[in-house]
C-alpha cells in the first residue's frame, strides 16, 4: 500500500469521509457502523502516518450520510475521529465525533456474571471516562475499559 497520505484513498463525489481513526480500530468502526452490510462503495486506507495517532485509518463511504447518534457510536473506538461531509467533491460540512454520556447495545459487559451476558438484556453503560473511554455497567456497575472491550 502506498503511504502518500491523501493520495492513497481516492476522492468521492458525494458521501462521508471518516478521518483520524486509530489504525487498530478500523475494522471495529466498520462493524459498529454496519459498513460491511451496506451496498455503497467504500474505500479505506490504513496505517497512514498521523502526528496525532501514530498510525491512522481513513474510510470513505460514497452516497452515505450519518445521523449524529449513529456517528457517536464510533466514539468509543475512535474518539478523535473527524468527519467530512462531501457534496460534489467538496467538503460541505465537518463534524467531530462526541463521546456520548451513555451507550447501549454496542459493547459487552466485562463481567461474565452480568445479567446482560446471561440473559437477553441489552447492555447499557454510563461513560465514566470520556478521554480514555471506560464504561460503567448500568446493571452490575463493573467497569469495562478500552483494553477489555468486546463488541456485540
Ligand atoms: Zn454488567
Amino acid at each position: 500500500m502506498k503511504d502518500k497520505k491523501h493520495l492513497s484513498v481516492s476522492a468521492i463525489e458525494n458521501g462521508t469521509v471518516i478521518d483520524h481513526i486509530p489504525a487498530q480500530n478500523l475494522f471495529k468502526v466498520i462493524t459498529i457502523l454496519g459498513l460491511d452490510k451496506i451496498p455503497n462503495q467504500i474505500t479505506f486506507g490504513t496505517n497512514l502516518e498521523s502526528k496525532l495517532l501514530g498510525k491512522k485509518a481513513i474510510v470513505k463511504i460514497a452516497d452515505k450520510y450519518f445521523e449524529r447518534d449513529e456517528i457517536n457510536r464510533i466514539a468509543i473506538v475512535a474518539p478523535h475521529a473527524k468527519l467530512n461531509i462531501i457534496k460534489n467533491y467538496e467538503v460541505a460540512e465537518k463534524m467531530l465525533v462526541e463521546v456520548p454520556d451513555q451507550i447501549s447495545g454496542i459493547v459487552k459487559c466485562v463481567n461474565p456474571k452480568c445479567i446482560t451476558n446471561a440473559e437477553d438484556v441489552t447492555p447499557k453503560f454510563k461513560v465514566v471516562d470520556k478521554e480514555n473511554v471506560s464504561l460503567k455497567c448500568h446493571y452490575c456497575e463493573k467497569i469495562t475499559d478500552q483494553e477489555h472491550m468486546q463488541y456485540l
Side-chain angles (χ1 to χ4, degrees):
M1 186 173 287
K2 280 190 287 183
D3 63 358
K4 288 248 159 95
K5 290 168 190 159
H6 304 293
L7 295 180
S8 6
V9 183
S10 60
I12 52 174
E13 186 177 351
N14 293 296
T16 305
V17 176
I18 309 172
D19 199 356
H20 297 291
I21 300 166
Q24 72 273 17
N25 288 344
L26 168 64
F27 291 98
K28 290 175 187 162
V29 167
I30 288 172
T31 307
I32 289 170
L33 291 177
L35 300 182
D36 49 345
K37 297 184 186 77
I38 60 171
N40 304 51
Q41 200 177 84
I42 298 167
T43 48
F44 64 83
T46 186
N47 294 327
L48 309 171
E49 297 298 330
S50 161
K51 284 202 183 83
L52 180 66
L53 302 167
K55 300 276 183 193
K56 70 167 185 178
I58 183 169
V59 185
K60 300 192 178 196
I61 308 116
D63 304 312
K64 171 98 184 147
Y65 302 108
F66 295 92
E67 301 291 333
R68 246 283 155 226
D69 289 1
E70 221 177 340
I71 212 64
N72 282 346
R73 291 162 63 92
I74 69 166
I76 52 168
V77 293
H80 303 288
K82 230 161 82 182
L83 274 80
N84 288 327
I85 315 303
I86 310 292
K87 290 180 179 161
N88 251 323
Y89 294 106
E90 286 185 9
V91 180
E93 197 188 329
K94 287 175 187 278
M95 266 163 78
L96 287 174
V97 163
E98 284 167 32
V99 180
D101 296 328
Q102 294 188 21
I103 66 153
S104 63
I106 304 170
V107 175
K108 282 168 86 165
C109 179
V110 75
N111 175 10
K113 293 192 179 127
C114 180
I115 187 167
T116 61
N117 289 316
E119 290 174 32
D120 192 17
V121 175
T122 305
K124 239 162 80 178
F125 302 90
K126 192 169 185 272
V127 180
V128 288
D129 179 348
K130 291 198 177 189
E131 188 58 30
N132 300 305
V133 190
S134 61
L135 310 172
K136 187 177 184 182
C137 181
H138 172 75
Y139 298 98
C140 72
E141 305 202 317
K142 286 267 187 314
I143 300 286
T144 301
D145 62 19
Q146 190 123 70
E147 200 185 326
H148 296 95
M149 260 175 219
Q150 284 190 309
Y151 301 89
L152 286 174

